[in-house]
């Protein structure tokens, strides 16, 4: 058997002590030995803080994003190596796709999100300045900075690649190094992916370390700047969360635990409706994908009492067609559980359910199914198992016991209110689904049951064509749930990044906050220049450079012409009598005319470094502009985001965010907003010889 090494302090190491075995999920053959006893685990924390942490914290958000994108591309180019190892865990090609390429897609997603939303800096101003004084010279804003600690990720066995990458993406983007501890049963796949990342040379030393085996006394050496995330059983998570060091140091701990997720067939759905077939397909897919080893899998199937028999027959027919066996065979649709221990645990939980108000409809026994493939009887196979609980309100076990495999329990409900009651008995779930074609049914159920779910899917025929399904966490959506599900939040776009950063309320003068945040704020000192800012390249343009334009008096002809051009004949602009009775008391200019006229005042029309208008944000009309009012614009460079050059042929550029204040003759703001422009850079990312 091979020894499965850990990667600590820049070296591949193997422990000394009693080892654990990892066996082939399909054949039971011993594959690897795992041991972390005696390894310098405490030193790995120091190495991560001093090497990986300092290197990542010195990188800007944009540089971290580019690093993650490069890692994702490298992993994608070597994915077939990972698929071969994935088969050892019992996963089909589709199962492996979700785990391997789904995890890589999460890296891509976060890299793209950072490229669009985050500054090219190490400090992240989170919100707009908050006035704290009458004169505006004492303000505050919240900023986010990297914490000089380590993120310890303790992952579950079911997604050895995705489970690691969905935590690494926000961790790295936050500027924090990570130590990953995968579950032993599938650690060989995590280790293979970590080795690819290390061999790529794309991440700083110490940014990623790996423990194959137990964590030993590592928790005793954690400090207040560190963070712990855990995915696994609720029981193990509660034990870790209560560790004395975590309590003493107030170390953030995020838990994502297995939950008894539900799928509800709406009371409006009948077998003739397309939603009925969608419901059957979704339940069966969730039961058999990854052999049911998903924290988001459907465990409780709730249907109107009148539809129980129809649902039974449809589910049994579809499940009977699922071929179990060697996942490398084309006709196989469900592979093995990850280990014999996991299979035995599922059997034990099924037997507990059968002794507590449930009856078997199919499966539920190791003798009741056939396996496709040679010599596969030693593998950790378990049949798709559908149970039935006739009285789910009287038998609490169905809401407490989870068989973590291809097992779900069908149960009836008598009314919409009872369906809600049953859903809430899960005591907190990662995901819930409602299949309905009735908006009133969906509104009533979601408003009552959302409090117990981290994510909810409302599935109808319109959504089905593009739905990612009940059990698919997405990078831009929160992954977590209340109560039994652990109370944590993973993913969720930039929400997840903030978990690994320190939020600080910063107070001071506008000029001081602008200097610290490298982002101009209103009230801060501005820079004047004889050269129009649109004549300057990205590198030449300083933050805070400002232009005060010439003035323009708004006439009745302006309003009439704009109405004819735009087709906007709203009474406040065109009806003298109607406008007199409005809150303005007289006719006023269109807000979008004011914005257009402002652009006419501040735009330099000649060919120059400004490539295009990229967008507008946070537009507010503050005061009305009436006939005879005179407007003027203050345009100020607020912040700059350097964009990477994708190829030598691309024109190098960056995004400049401009603060726009449109003022009237009384120096009152009539409109406030930001515009974004693409501005050419003088220097590209490629050497001139390559560019030629």
């Amino acid at each position: 058997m091979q020894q499965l090494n850990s990667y600590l302090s820049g070296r591949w190491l193997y422990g000394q002590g009693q080892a654990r075995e990892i066996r082939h999920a399909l054949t039971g053959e011993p594959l690897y030995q795992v041991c972390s006893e005696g390894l310098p685990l405490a030193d790995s924390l120091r190495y991560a803080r001093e090497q990986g942490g300092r290197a990542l914290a010195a990188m800007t958000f944009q540089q971290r994003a580019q690093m993650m994108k490069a890692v994702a591309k490298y992993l994608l180019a070597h994915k077939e190596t990972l698929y071969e190892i994935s088969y050892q865990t019992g996963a089909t090609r589709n199962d492996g796709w979700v785990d391997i390429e789904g995890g890589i897609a999460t890296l891509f997603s976060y890299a793209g999100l950072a490229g669009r939303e985050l500054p090219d800096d190490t400090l992240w101003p989170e919100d707009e300045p908050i006035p704290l004084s009458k004169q505006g010279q004492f303000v505050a804003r919240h900023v986010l900075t990297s914490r000089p600690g380590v993120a310890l990720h303790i992952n579950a066995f079911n997604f050895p690649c995705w489970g690691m990458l969905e935590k690494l993406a926000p961790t790295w983007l936050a500027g924090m190094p990570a130590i990953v501890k995968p579950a032993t049963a599938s650690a060989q796949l995590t280790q293979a992916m970590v080795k690819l990342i290390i061999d790529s040379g794309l991440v700083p030393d110490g940014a990623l370390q790996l423990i194959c085996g137990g964590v030993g006394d590592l928790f005793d050496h954690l400090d207040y700047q560190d963070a712990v995330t855990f995915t696994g059983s609720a029981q193990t998570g509660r034990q870790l969360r209560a560790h004395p060091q975590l309590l003493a140091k107030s170390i953030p701990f995020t838990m994502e635990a297995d939950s008894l997720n539900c799928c509800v067939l709406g009371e409006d759905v009948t077998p003739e409706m397309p939603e009925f077939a969608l419901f059957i397909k979704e339940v069966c897919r969730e039961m058999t994908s990854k052999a049911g080893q998903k924290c988001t899998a459907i465990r409780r199937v709730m249907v109107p009492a009148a539809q129980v028999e129809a649902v039974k027959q449809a589910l049994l027919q579809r499940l009977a067609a699922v071929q179990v066996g060697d996942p490398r065979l084309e006709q196989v649709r469900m592979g093995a559980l990850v280990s014999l221990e996991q299979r035995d645990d599922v059997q034990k939980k099924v037997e507990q359910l059968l002794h507590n108000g449930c009856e078997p409809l199919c499966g539920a026994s190791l003798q009741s199914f056939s396996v496709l493939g040679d010599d596969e009887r030693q593998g950790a196979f378990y049949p798709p198992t559908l149970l039935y609980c006739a009285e789910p309100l009287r038998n609490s076990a169905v809401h407490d016991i989870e068989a973590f495999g291809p097992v779900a329990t069908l149960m009836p409900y008598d009314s919409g209110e009872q369906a809600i009651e049953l859903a809430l008995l899960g005591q907190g779930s990662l995901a819930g689904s409602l299949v309905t074609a009735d908006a009133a049914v969906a509104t009533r159920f979601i408003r009552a049951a959302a409090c117990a779910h981290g994510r909810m899917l409302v599935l109808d025929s319109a959504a089905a064509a593009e739905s990612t399904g009940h059990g698919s966490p997405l990078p831009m959506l929160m992954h977590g749930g209340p109560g039994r599900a652990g109370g944590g939040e993973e993913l969720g776009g930039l929400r997840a990044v903030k978990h690994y950063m320190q939020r600080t309320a910063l107070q001071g003068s506008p000029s001081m906050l602008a200097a610290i945040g490298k982002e101009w704020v209103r009230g801060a000192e501005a820079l004047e220049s004889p050269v129009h800012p649109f004549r300057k390249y990205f590198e030449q343009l300083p933050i805070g450079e400002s232009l005060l334009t010439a003035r323009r008096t708004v006439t009745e002809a302006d309003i009439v012409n704009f109405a004819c051009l735009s087709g906007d004949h709203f009474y406040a602009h065109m009806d003298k009598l109607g406008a007199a009775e409005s809150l303005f008391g007289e006719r006023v200019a269109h807000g979008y005319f004011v914005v257009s006229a402002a652009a006419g005042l501040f735009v330099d029309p000649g060919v120059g470094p400004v490539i295009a208008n990229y967008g507008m944000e946070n537009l507010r009309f503050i005061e009305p502009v009436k006939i005879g009012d005179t407007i003027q614009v203050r345009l100020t460079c607020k912040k700059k985001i350097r964009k990477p050059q994708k190829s030598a042929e691309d024109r190098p550029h960056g995004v400049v965010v401009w603060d726009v204040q449109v003022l009237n003759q009384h120096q009152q703001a009539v409109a406030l907003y930001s515009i974004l422009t693409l501005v050419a850079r003088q220097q590209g990312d490629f050497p001139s010889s390559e560019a030629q």
Side-chain angles (χ1 to χ4, degrees):
M1 279 189 295
Q2 299 182 49
Q3 292 181 342
L4 202 64
N5 291 334
S6 299
Y7 185 73
L8 300 170
S9 301
R11 296 178 296 161
W12 291 100
L13 303 169
Y14 188 77
Q16 297 179 345
Q18 186 174 0
R20 290 182 58 186
E21 285 185 349
I22 298 177
R23 293 177 175 267
H24 201 296
L26 307 179
T27 66
E29 171 194 2
L31 294 174
Y32 307 96
Q33 286 186 326
V34 177
C35 179
S36 62
E37 292 182 25
L39 294 181
L41 300 180
D43 288 346
S44 69
L45 290 170
R46 176 190 54 77
Y47 187 78
R49 293 174 186 135
E50 295 181 0
Q51 299 293 323
R54 289 178 181 176
L56 286 170
M59 299 167 67
T60 69
F61 289 102
Q62 296 297 317
Q63 290 170 334
R64 297 168 199 160
Q66 288 305 303
M67 177 196 76
M68 288 161 50
K69 185 176 180 180
V71 169
K73 288 181 176 180
Y74 186 86
L75 291 176
L76 205 57
H78 295 81
K79 65 182 180 180
E80 291 305 325
T81 300
L82 301 172
Y83 275 113
E84 285 302 312
I85 300 173
S86 179
Y87 287 127
Q88 298 175 0
T89 70
T92 65
R93 178 79 182 194
N94 283 341
D95 295 337
W97 180 85
V98 174
D99 185 31
I100 296 167
E101 297 190 52
I104 295 170
T106 301
L107 283 180
F108 276 125
S109 178
Y110 270 90
L113 186 64
R116 295 187 299 272
E117 302 289 340
L118 296 185
D120 190 18
D121 196 1
T122 59
L123 182 142
W124 176 4
E126 187 182 19
D127 51 16
E128 292 298 316
I130 303 163
L132 299 177
S133 66
K134 290 182 180 181
Q135 301 301 319
Q137 286 305 302
F138 186 52
V139 296
R141 76 185 318 181
H142 294 92
V143 298
L144 294 160
T145 53
S146 298
R147 291 158 52 185
V150 184
L152 174 60
H153 297 320
I154 302 175
N155 296 329
F157 68 81
N158 51 344
F159 288 99
C161 294
W162 179 87
M164 174 178 71
L165 295 180
E166 63 106 6
K167 295 183 178 73
L168 269 182
T171 301
W172 278 346
L173 197 50
M176 206 174 195
I179 298 175
V180 176
K181 190 276 181 224
T184 297
S186 56
Q188 73 269 34
L189 185 51
T190 306
Q191 196 234 35
M193 181 171 271
V194 169
K195 190 173 189 306
L196 284 173
I197 296 173
I198 298 302
D199 291 348
S200 74
L202 295 169
V203 300
D205 292 340
L208 176 61
Q209 297 182 77
L210 175 73
I211 300 174
C212 292
V215 296
D217 64 349
L218 193 61
F219 271 59
D220 295 333
H221 302 281
L222 295 174
D223 208 346
Y224 78 101
Q225 293 284 7
D226 300 324
V228 180
T229 62
F230 169 81
T231 301
S233 73
Q235 180 180 0
T236 302
R238 286 192 294 268
Q239 292 174 349
L240 294 176
R241 176 182 276 166
H243 192 281
Q245 187 72 355
L246 268 60
L247 299 175
K249 296 287 187 175
S250 299
I251 297 171
F253 182 92
T254 296
M255 179 167 74
E256 188 262 280
D258 309 330
S259 59
L260 286 154
N261 311 294
C262 67
C263 186
V264 180
L265 183 66
E267 53 201 301
D268 60 299
V269 180
T270 62
E272 298 77 25
M273 297 171 63
E275 282 75 15
F276 187 89
L278 291 174
F279 177 81
I280 300 301
K281 180 181 179 180
E282 195 70 21
V283 170
C284 291
R285 178 171 63 179
E286 286 300 308
M287 287 180 64
T288 56
S289 175
K290 289 287 290 185
Q293 299 169 114
K294 294 168 59 180
C295 56
T296 54
I298 294 169
R299 305 299 182 196
R300 300 178 299 149
V301 184
M302 301 165 184
V303 302
Q307 304 299 341
V308 166
E309 289 304 316
V311 170
K312 276 185 184 180
Q313 296 307 313
L315 286 175
L316 290 174
Q317 182 179 357
R318 193 173 183 98
L319 290 172
V322 175
Q323 180 63 62
V324 180
D326 186 339
R328 289 167 294 193
L329 300 177
E330 184 178 352
Q331 59 269 50
V332 167
R333 292 295 174 265
M334 191 180 93
L337 275 69
V338 73
S339 66
L340 292 174
E341 291 81 5
Q342 182 62 24
R343 184 200 66 181
D344 294 343
D345 183 71
V346 170
Q347 182 65 50
K348 177 182 176 182
K349 297 296 176 54
V350 168
E351 290 171 357
Q352 290 176 357
L353 288 169
L354 293 175
H355 284 92
N356 286 275
C358 296
E359 59 182 88
L361 297 179
C362 71
S365 170
L366 294 174
Q367 309 303 319
S368 63
F369 71 111
S370 59
V371 176
L372 192 63
D374 298 331
D375 300 324
E376 304 296 346
R377 269 297 172 186
Q378 299 302 313
F381 295 98
Y382 196 84
T385 297
L386 183 65
L387 309 179
Y388 178 66
C389 180
E391 297 182 300
L393 290 175
R394 295 185 56 187
N395 294 284
S396 62
V398 74
H399 308 294
D400 294 330
I401 298 172
E402 180 181 21
F404 201 75
V407 182
T409 303
L410 177 65
M411 60 190 75
Y413 68 83
D414 295 328
S415 65
E417 288 71 23
Q418 194 174 92
I420 293 168
E421 184 180 359
L422 291 172
L424 295 176
L425 286 175
Q427 302 176 65
S429 299
L430 294 170
S433 292
L434 172 67
V435 181
T436 180
D438 190 324
V441 170
T443 300
R444 183 170 61 250
F445 184 85
I446 297 298
R447 284 174 175 263
C451 61
H453 295 81
R455 178 170 54 85
M456 300 196 81
L457 166 67
V458 181
L459 189 62
D460 61 7
S461 57
E466 297 182 305
S467 170
T468 53
H470 165 99
S472 300
L474 298 172
M476 65 289 294
L477 301 180
M478 188 195 82
H479 179 48
R484 180 190 177 104
E489 292 187 10
E490 295 181 4
L491 298 180
L494 296 181
R495 293 168 60 95
V497 179
K498 294 177 182 180
H499 173 74
Y500 299 99
M501 305 193 76
Q502 177 59 47
R503 177 182 289 108
T504 303
L506 187 62
Q507 298 170 279
S509 69
S511 295
M512 193 62 74
L513 266 58
I516 294 171
K518 295 182 180 178
E519 179 179 311
W520 186 85
V521 299
R522 288 173 191 152
E525 295 178 5
L527 306 172
E528 300 281 355
S529 171
V531 179
H532 193 287
F534 278 23
R535 310 306 302 169
K536 296 185 177 182
Y537 284 92
F538 185 84
E539 297 91 338
Q540 297 173 328
L541 192 62
I543 299 295
E545 174 146 332
S546 186
L547 170 71
L548 183 63
T549 71
R551 299 180 180 90
R552 173 175 177 168
T553 299
V554 177
T555 66
E556 182 179 14
D558 289 330
I559 296 175
V560 173
N561 289 336
F562 189 83
C564 293
L565 181 64
S566 66
D568 180 355
H569 295 274
F570 188 61
Y571 75 91
H573 313 307
M574 303 301 293
D575 184 344
K576 183 175 182 179
L577 296 179
E581 296 177 358
S582 71
L583 64 87
F584 305 116
E586 59 183 289
R587 293 166 64 191
V588 296
H590 303 71
Y592 294 110
F593 167 76
V594 174
V595 172
S596 299
L601 289 171
F602 66 68
V603 167
D604 183 282
V607 176
V610 175
I611 300 169
N613 187 328
Y614 190 57
M616 180 185 296
E617 296 178 339
N618 304 316
L619 172 61
R620 292 292 184 272
F621 296 116
I622 311 301
E623 294 287 342
V625 176
K626 302 176 181 179
I627 297 172
D629 281 352
T630 298
I631 61 172
Q632 187 178 29
V633 181
R634 168 69 74 176
L635 178 77
T636 309
C637 177
K638 183 177 180 179
K639 64 179 177 181
K640 303 194 301 181
I641 303 172
R642 180 183 178 278
K643 290 294 184 179
Q645 190 178 356
K646 296 180 180 179
S647 69
E649 292 74 27
D650 292 336
R651 188 176 183 183
H653 67 276
V655 174
V656 177
V657 181
W658 305 86
D659 179 81
V660 182
Q661 301 176 67
V662 186
L663 311 170
N664 64 16
Q665 65 270 27
H666 306 297
Q667 291 301 294
Q668 295 174 311
V670 299
L672 300 173
Y673 54 99
S674 296
I675 62 165
L676 294 75
T677 59
L678 299 181
V679 179
R681 290 192 279 121
Q682 289 178 305
Q683 300 296 326
D685 299 332
F686 294 86
S688 57
S689 58
E690 290 186 32
Q692 297 171 357

